[in-house]
Amino acid sequence: MRRTALLPLAVLLSCLMLSSCGITKPFVDTQLLANPDLPLEEKLLGAGGVHVEVPYPEMYFDASDYLDRLVELVEGASDYMIITTFLGSSCPGLEDLYAAIAAKAESGVDVYMIIDAVSSYDMTASADHMFPLYYLKDSGVHLVEYNPLSGMSIIQPGSLLVREHRKIVVVDGRWCTLGGMNMNYISMGADDIDLQRDSMYVFDSPALAEALVDEFVTIWNESCVDKVSRDDFPAAEGLSFGDIDAYLFNQGPGSDVSMADMYASLFSSAKEEIVMLPYLAFFDDNMYQCLEAALERGVKVSIYVPIDSREYVQGALFYDYHNLVEAGFDVNIEYAGEETGLSLLHQKLCVVDGRYTVIGSSNINYRSMGLSHEIALVLDDEGFAKASLEQVATIAQDMHPLDLETALALKDEKGSLMSFLFSYFGG
């Protein structure tokens, strides 16, 4: 086995199982998914993907530009909005956004918003700037927290690991946004080094909107006593946009969708190159096996990872990242913080063979594979893949290769088993 932390991991996993938390979905490379004769499109559908045709999206890598666009979409809403975010809170930089949302609710637009309950316990720089969003209810916004701390958590503590990690907005059954930006200070409201670098994508797509609403209704009705009907959120009519084949993976409560199988499908079908831009890259042994099999086929695996300025996060990263180098992957890192002048890179991206691009909320790690509710969209378009790779190349200019000697030295100097365990399951 790959890691020296197997015993603590086994103990922690046993505790989760004993707490009746049967929620994990292993990252697998089953015989079906590994079959080289099976077209990738069939693998993606078999992994739970929903085929949709979408237009080329608007791409936002600057949070202020995306914030302006989001306010514009909100102000243009005439029927309904649904919003899901992992971390949701207000701050001075987001006052215009939340004022626009409140104004729409007061005008009669149906606004439904889900925020994860950890929003109140934000451990980032947002904690010093945030205002809770409960006040939006006074304007008529239907707001619920997903999986709040409760008495049931004492009986089933493992359930606290199940988080609503998706970042989605749907307006009037037509406009859709998804990506990695939360609706809080560090994602969109800061104006200095605290502002993370990230990505969001805007689609003019009734087909995508319809698919996103399906899962939203499911999680809303699981989280709230005031139930909604799928008919409350119609798709826009008389519109037909999109010529890009895409596969939506909406890993939510009760779904058969598997982020693990999605990545396994892509990695097992790769022929030339896998490029990953993960915020966190904590792979389990099955993930390694799938990627190492790609290496054996001659596929180049390149991973570009940020190093958080927070010491406890560095402890987790440096405890584990020598494994990425030992596996034979091309690993490049960059340091965020005042010393480098770089804000934290929070983007999630994967490009396979210059054709298939994965965007959304999912990190490429154990937690996103089986513990969190995640959103991902696989776009089959060489033009979009090319633009994504160009953006990675720009980011890579501030990165440098991580060799094994350096990785092992960093593990000895800064690595922390406890930080690693926390990030592996809860990061």
Side-chain angles (χ1 to χ4, degrees), residues 162-183:
V162 183
R163 305 313 329 168
E164 176 53 66
H165 196 244
R166 294 172 287 196
K167 295 89 173 172
I168 308 165
V169 178
V170 177
V171 177
D172 291 344
R174 173 178 176 179
W175 295 99
C176 314
T177 81
L178 60 88
M181 292 185 195
N182 291 295
M183 295 176 69

Side-chain angles (χ1 to χ4, degrees), residues 172-204:
D172 291 344
R174 173 178 176 179
W175 295 99
C176 314
T177 81
L178 60 88
M181 292 185 195
N182 291 295
M183 295 176 69
N184 66 345
Y185 171 75
I186 61 170
S187 284
M188 293 194 290
D191 59 3
D192 53 21
I193 198 170
D194 287 341
L195 185 65
Q196 293 178 346
R197 290 172 292 154
D198 212 328
S199 60
M200 289 297 288
Y201 303 85
V202 177
F203 293 85
D204 185 358

Side-chain angles (χ1 to χ4, degrees), residues 228-292:
V228 296
S229 167
R230 180 62 185 81
D231 295 336
D232 295 333
F233 308 101
E237 297 181 353
L239 299 171
S240 178
F241 299 101
D243 57 4
I244 296 176
D245 286 315
Y247 302 85
L248 177 67
F249 289 80
N250 213 340
Q251 181 175 284
S255 77
D256 295 326
V257 174
S258 171
M259 293 293 167
D261 288 354
M262 177 198 72
Y263 282 113
S265 298
L266 289 163
F267 296 162
S268 65
S269 297
K271 297 178 175 61
E272 298 177 1
E273 183 180 38
I274 298 169
V275 176
M276 285 181 276
L277 193 68
Y279 167 54
L280 297 174
F282 295 123
F283 301 168
D284 68 8
D285 286 335
N286 289 316
M287 297 183 197
Y288 275 107
Q289 290 171 12
C290 194
L291 287 167
E292 287 168 346

Side-chain angles (χ1 to χ4, degrees), residues 22-23 25 146 162 166 215 218-219 222 250-258 372-373:
I23 54 177
K25 301 175 184 176
Y146 179 76
V162 183
R166 294 172 287 196
E215 177 60 28
T218 298
I219 191 169
E222 180 193 76
N250 213 340
Q251 181 175 284
S255 77
D256 295 326
V257 174
S258 171
S372 298
H373 299 157

Side-chain angles (χ1 to χ4, degrees), residues 7 9 27 37 43 94 99 119 172 227 229 231 264 313 394 401:
L7 181 58
L9 282 171
F27 184 96
D37 298 324
K43 294 182 183 181
L94 293 179
S119 295
D172 291 344
K227 308 302 182 185
S229 167
D231 295 336
V313 180
T394 299

